[in-house]
Amino acid sequence: MTNPERKSWSQDYSEWFHKVIAEVPIYDTRYPVKGTGVWMPFGYKIRREVLRIIRDELEKTGHEEVLFPLLIPDYLLSKESEHIRNFEDEVYWVTHGGKTPLEVKLALRPTSETAMYPMFKLWINAYSDLPLRIFQIVNVFRYETKATRPMIRVREVSTFKEAHTAHATREEAEEQERIGVEVYSKIFERLKIPFLRTIRPDWDKFPGAERSVAFDTVMPDGRVLQIGTVHFLGQGFARAFDIKYMKSDGNYEYVWQTCYGISERAIAALISVHGDDHGLVLPSEVAPVQVVVIPIVYKGREEEVLKRCKEVSEILERSGLRVSVDDRKDITPGNKYYTWEMKGTPVRIEIGPRDIDSNTAVLVRRDTLKKTPVNMEMLVEEVRKLLDHIDEELAKRSKEWMSSKVRGAETIDQAKDELDTRGGIVELNWCGKTNCGEELEKTIDARILGVPFDEHDIENPPSGAKCAGCGGAANKKIRVARSY
Ligand code: P5A
Ligand code: ZN
């Protein structure tokens, strides 16, 4: 059998995405509050596996999990001026307890800097209290005014992982920023989601941050999605919330901070980048069911086949895999294949009377739908090998696909043409001036993602190169894209 097509996946991505999350089902969008949704059992299981990876990578690098209240009093939310100026229009307010107006209005957290940092002030006094590295996984609320989209732009972000750190020096905080970027890179690598790391331009930084590094991926329709951000906060919040420690010379110094966030948007990306016309395709680490066993029953040998399927499932489970036997009656094998392909299960095992007679089983891999017969003696080994192989291929396929969507252009017209016809990300020579950048965004009708995070990513323009925007001397490359 040939590889499954990706026609509807790429040509009608939005419809594909809605269909997949409804049919699996992953996420029910029919809850009657705009910008919210319900995580369905299978979707919840995927979410749990993704969060396991996120927790694992954070805990390995010294971050500890905490849980802060949802409500933030008015006077704290507005302490850092730039932060509140940008979030003001997106905040949900609690103003009453029953019929009684509250003396202090309470915000539903849009993010937790202003909830956490007053507590940081209480916790940090001495040098020995640093560094501080915490994270929480909570819901946050943002009254988004741009069009909402399931999981991608929601008003109740139900899966908001936010990490917050405090350090004694600028150098240590900048080192933490790099560690944050590495942690996120590792998480996306485990999810096999390709990404570019880009320093956002000044006008698109997180409110209150000195620098924002974003992870961007390209969706099947060619539009770019920001799937995570790491912010270097400098001392801005520390000053606003008076977070300082005593140095050895007896003087006080404000702490240096970072924070980084990731949300269910990353799960939307996971679903989107790997899928095909048959539905989900999941890397084995996040697949709720890694192997499904399907009995191919013939009259007279039903019990025998079922028994063998259960044995196979037990052997695989004992080796640590997540396995399910689809022993539903009155459903054809074909219909079962359809269900499990839709759910993205990496490997399917078919077992019928003939397999029992020859002591074999048939393995079918989800990504290519190719079948291979294996001997029962080798089953565990072959299944594990196949899962690894599929994971490698998924990483490779998604990476190559994204690479094909990142291209250079010389002029504004070229850039516009690329984005109109193929989408993706275009790299241009740039002078680095804000007004030129803003002008560029208008003429290309796209968003400036920013400059590459690591210089190794792309070469800087040669000397004498001209800015694609204003024609002045260019000293940087910038990335431009149409984005979600
Ligand atoms: C970092 C964590 C922050 O909020 N404060 C704590 C910092 N950064 S952020 O860029 O605003 O958000 C982090 C990531 O969350 C995702 N995201 C969303 N996902 C779904 N729906 C939304 N409305 C939404 N808003 C932000 C983005 O991936 C973003 O990078
Ligand atoms: Zn310019």
Side-chain angles (χ1 to χ4, degrees):
M1 201 183 283
T2 52
N3 285 5
E5 297 215 4
R6 298 180 105 189
K7 243 193 204 134
S8 70
W9 173 80
S10 60
Q11 287 171 9
D12 214 331
Y13 160 67
S14 183
E15 198 180 300
W16 177 92
F17 183 72
H18 280 86
K19 178 172 176 247
V20 167
I21 61 173
E23 203 171 318
V24 168
I26 293 173
Y27 187 85
D28 197 328
T29 58
R30 294 171 298 177
Y31 190 77
V33 175
K34 189 179 156 67
T36 68
V38 180
W39 286 94
M40 300 300 284
F42 197 81
Y44 194 87
K45 288 187 184 116
I46 297 173
R47 178 184 182 272
R48 195 168 61 193
E49 299 304 330
V50 171
L51 290 181
R52 187 175 47 72
I53 292 176
I54 292 176
R55 282 195 172 92
D56 181 42
E57 292 300 331
L58 285 167
E59 284 170 359
K60 270 202 303 224
T61 46
H63 302 75
E64 293 185 299
E65 190 162 359
V66 298
L67 185 56
F68 272 73
L70 164 68
L71 299 172
I72 306 177
D74 192 6
Y75 62 88
L76 284 181
L77 189 74
S78 53
K79 256 203 157 132
E80 209 285 335
S81 55
E82 208 176 313
H83 190 73
I84 185 61
R85 190 148 24 87
N86 277 272
F87 272 115
E88 199 153 53
D89 294 337
E90 292 185 9
V91 174
Y92 284 90
W93 289 104
V94 177
T95 56
H96 287 73
K99 292 199 180 78
T100 317
L102 299 180
E103 266 172 40
V104 178
K105 274 201 307 181
L106 299 170
L108 301 186
R109 61 182 162 216
T111 167
S112 303
E113 283 75 7
T114 60
M116 289 184 170
Y117 299 167
M119 301 309 289
F120 278 27
K121 176 184 162 60
L122 301 176
W123 297 340
I124 297 169
N125 297 297
Y127 177 80
S128 57
D129 298 324
L130 298 169
L132 180 68
R133 297 189 195 92
I134 59 166
F135 73 98
Q136 66 176 3
I137 302 172
V138 295
N139 55 350
V140 298
F141 294 82
R142 296 182 182 182
Y143 188 74
E144 296 277 359
T145 44
K146 276 197 196 174
T148 58
R149 278 172 191 276
M151 299 163 80
I152 290 175
R153 181 170 289 104
V154 282
R155 288 180 170 174
E156 178 183 7
V157 187
S158 66
T159 313
F160 194 68
K161 191 290 295 168
E162 49 180 328
H164 296 261
T165 74
H167 308 268
T169 63
R170 168 180 276 273
E171 289 69 36
E172 282 173 44
E174 282 181 335
E175 175 58 18
Q176 188 65 43
E177 178 192 18
R178 274 188 294 278
I179 292 170
V181 170
E182 283 318 308
V183 168
Y184 276 21
S185 302
K186 203 63 195 297
I187 291 168
F188 292 125
E189 274 156 23
R190 283 173 74 173
L191 299 175
K192 321 291 179 212
I193 300 174
F195 55 82
L196 284 182
R197 304 179 299 198
T198 306
I199 301 174
R200 288 280 183 262
D202 280 344
W203 64 87
D204 201 14
K205 287 187 306 195
F206 179 69
E210 220 173 89
R211 179 170 52 237
S212 292
V213 180
F215 286 73
D216 293 307
T217 194
V218 181
M219 299 299 261
D221 60 359
R223 277 164 78 185
V224 163
L225 185 67
Q226 173 184 303
I227 49 176
T229 32
V230 176
H231 311 291
F232 175 72
L233 299 177
Q235 290 179 308
F237 282 97
R239 284 177 205 285
F241 287 92
D242 194 35
I243 315 168
K244 48 191 190 225
Y245 70 99
M246 195 166 73
K247 296 197 291 185
S248 49
D249 62 8
N251 287 323
Y252 283 91
E253 159 112 347
Y254 289 113
V255 298
W256 297 83
Q257 293 181 272
T258 79
C259 69
Y260 21 109
I262 214 174
S263 79
E264 57 255 56
R265 227 187 239 188
I267 304 177
L270 171 77
I271 292 167
S272 302
V273 300
H274 299 308
D276 64 28
D277 289 3
H278 294 234
L280 276 184
V281 179
L282 291 175
S284 65
E285 226 194 328
V286 292
V289 176
Q290 295 166 313
V291 182
V292 61
V293 186
I294 307 220
I296 314 292
V297 291
Y298 283 89
K299 262 213 170 67
R301 298 188 70 178
E302 292 95 338
E303 299 230 328
E304 205 186 332
V305 168
L306 221 57
K307 187 164 159 269
R308 173 57 68 88
C309 287
K310 296 220 163 105
E311 281 164 15
V312 161
S313 148
E314 276 162 26
I315 294 170
L316 292 170
E317 259 172 6
R318 247 180 282 135
S319 87
L321 293 169
R322 297 187 285 270
V323 192
S324 179
V325 179
D326 191 344
D327 56 5
R328 289 177 296 168
K329 305 247 154 43
D330 306 321
I331 297 181
T332 62
N335 275 326
K336 293 182 181 177
Y337 302 166
Y338 178 89
T339 313
W340 294 99
E341 280 168 16
M342 178 58 76
K343 284 181 154 58
T345 304
V347 173
R348 165 171 101 221
I349 302 183
E350 303 170 4
I351 296 175
R354 256 181 288 152
D355 299 294
I356 295 180
D357 295 341
S358 57
N359 201 35
T360 55
V362 177
L363 306 189
V364 187
R365 52 188 284 192
R366 172 62 183 88
D367 58 341
T368 60
L369 299 181
K370 266 201 204 99
K371 296 188 175 201
T372 14
V374 294
N375 196 289
M376 278 298 289
E377 315 296 317
M378 302 292 288
L379 188 72
V380 173
E381 208 179 323
E382 291 292 335
V383 167
R384 291 215 161 257
K385 234 169 55 191
L386 186 56
L387 286 171
D388 286 347
H389 184 63
I390 293 171
D391 287 343
E392 272 166 40
E393 295 283 305
L394 284 186
K396 203 168 123 210
R397 175 171 86 174
S398 61
K399 218 174 200 164
E400 280 171 4
W401 191 85
M402 175 140 174
S403 301
S404 77
K405 293 284 172 186
V406 182
R407 292 167 314 277
E410 298 293 320
T411 64
I412 288 184
D413 283 345
Q414 264 175 22
K416 216 166 149 36
D417 189 52
E418 284 282 4
L419 294 178
D420 285 343
T421 54
R422 301 173 30 157
I425 296 173
V426 172
E427 294 173 338
L428 291 166
N429 291 335
W430 188 44
C431 64
K433 297 199 183 84
T434 297
N435 58 350
C436 169
E438 283 170 339
E439 196 57 36
L440 208 61
E441 284 192 330
K442 263 186 248 144
T443 38
I444 307 184
D445 183 26
R447 175 168 161 206
I448 291 188
L449 302 176
V451 302
F453 170 71
D454 25 10
E455 311 87 62
H456 309 294
D457 258 18
I458 54 175
E459 278 172 33
N460 273 326
S463 65
K466 291 204 161 44
C467 171
C470 64
N475 55 6
K476 309 171 189 291
K477 285 274 182 189
I478 39 157
R479 297 183 169 136
V480 183
R482 306 239 160 90
S483 70
Y484 274 95

